[in-house]
Amino acid sequence: MIIAIANQKGGVGKTTTAVNLATALAAIGKRVLVIDSDPQGNASTGLGVGRRDRSPSLYELLIGDSNFDEVIKPTAVPGLALIPATSALSGAEVELVATDRRTHRLFDALSGQSDHDFMLIDCPPSLGLLTVNALVAADSVLVPLQSEFFALEGLSQLLGTIDRVKAGLNPRLSLLGIVLTMVDRRNRLSDQVCDDVRAVMGAKVLQTMVPRNVRLSEAPSHGLPALIYDSRCSGSEAYVALARELLARIGLQAPALTPAE
């Protein structure tokens, strides 16, 4: 299953979600691939792949200079691999405009690949050609939404883009869910935002909420997912719960697991 993790708003926890959800899925025995589709390469950093070890990368895959097997890198997490991003990816949107099937380059590259149970695409904070490629390649979309005053601002634009891609480019695309991130239960505003989002989006909002947690912020500087950096922190516990909820939502069962296991 291919899941695009998307929101055109930056700083909402897309990369944190991609890295830690992937780690949680790998921890319960799934074969997982993270595809870093953001030129900033934060998911690659968070999984411990240094900048000198990222070539060939997603850029070479998209422009056709490398094949799927050539761009996959191992990570320190058993069962979890990475297709990294480099700064060259920032030029891909311009270069791809003149190519055939420019919206299907990632779809074509991933077609027929069955070595992974889940592929998670960490999208850039925009609705440009890289994100469209991710949505065309994906089976479903997971939307991280920060629990702040402007949480719903721009969400309708993203949902509209998903609908347009579904109608014109990828009829199998669905909204897997919206996950509330950076939730501070000590803050009444945060609680109100969560209530407002649930009132508007209903069952599309997942029950699991990711708290604002300093260990989630510290982990990338060590090149580790939070689930390895501190398996017992509240952020790690939330991503284990999120993995289990998502598996249940798509009709799969997860074995009993705690972050420490």
Side-chain angles (χ1 to χ4, degrees):
M1 182 175 190
I2 303 175
I3 302 172
I5 300 176
N7 190 329
Q8 78 272 24
K9 196 172 185 297
V12 299
K14 287 189 299 296
T15 298
T16 299
T17 297
V19 167
N20 289 291
L21 177 59
T23 303
L25 290 169
I28 58 178
K30 302 300 182 183
R31 298 165 299 169
V32 186
L33 175 68
V34 170
I35 300 170
D36 191 349
S37 187
D38 186 343
Q40 296 178 83
N42 290 335
S44 304
T45 300
L47 286 171
V49 177
R51 296 192 180 277
R52 285 184 288 185
D53 299 321
R54 297 181 191 177
S55 184
S57 66
L58 181 62
Y59 170 76
E60 284 78 13
L61 181 64
L62 291 178
I63 65 172
D65 283 354
S66 296
N67 63 39
F68 181 82
D69 292 332
E70 290 172 333
V71 299
I72 293 180
K73 315 296 181 188
T75 74
V77 181
L80 174 56
L82 169 74
I83 295 179
T86 65
S87 57
L89 193 58
S90 60
E93 298 211 43
V94 176
E95 295 179 48
L96 291 178
V97 167
T99 64
D100 292 335
R101 292 177 61 80
R102 61 181 179 271
T103 60
H104 287 69
R105 302 291 287 191
L106 185 57
F107 172 84
D108 292 341
L110 301 182
S111 292
Q113 303 299 333
S114 59
D115 289 342
H116 301 92
D117 300 308
F118 289 93
M119 299 184 189
L120 305 186
I121 308 172
D122 182 29
C123 296
S126 71
L127 294 178
L129 196 51
L130 289 174
T131 297
V132 171
N133 262 267
L135 296 178
V136 170
D139 301 302
S140 59
V141 186
L142 178 65
V143 181
L145 197 66
Q146 188 177 359
S147 59
E148 62 172 19
F149 183 72
F150 295 111
L152 290 170
E153 191 174 274
L155 180 60
S156 61
Q157 183 182 0
L158 173 62
L159 296 179
T161 299
I162 293 171
D163 287 341
R164 287 191 293 275
V165 170
K166 181 180 177 67
L169 298 169
N170 179 8
R172 73 187 185 284
L173 186 66
S174 64
L175 178 62
L176 181 57
I178 297 167
V179 56
L180 292 163
T181 61
M182 304 181 190
V183 176
D184 186 351
R185 302 311 298 263
R186 302 167 300 176
N187 186 329
R188 291 180 62 186
L189 176 60
S190 185
D191 275 343
Q192 172 150 11
V193 169
C194 293
D195 290 343
D196 290 346
V197 172
R198 292 189 188 281
V200 172
M201 302 304 301
K204 293 177 181 177
V205 183
L206 294 155
Q207 291 301 310
T208 303
M209 297 187 292
V210 179
R212 188 176 290 278
N213 178 245
V214 67
R215 306 300 263 177
L216 289 178
S217 302
E218 290 174 351
S221 66
H222 297 269
L224 293 170
L227 275 83
I228 294 178
Y229 179 64
D230 184 351
S231 64
R232 295 186 180 276
C233 72
S234 60
S236 294
E237 292 174 347
Y239 278 111
V240 169
L242 179 63
R244 294 179 63 82
E245 184 177 358
L246 288 177
L247 287 174
R249 185 164 282 209
I250 61 177
L252 298 176
Q253 288 189 334
L257 177 74
T258 64
E261 291 181 338

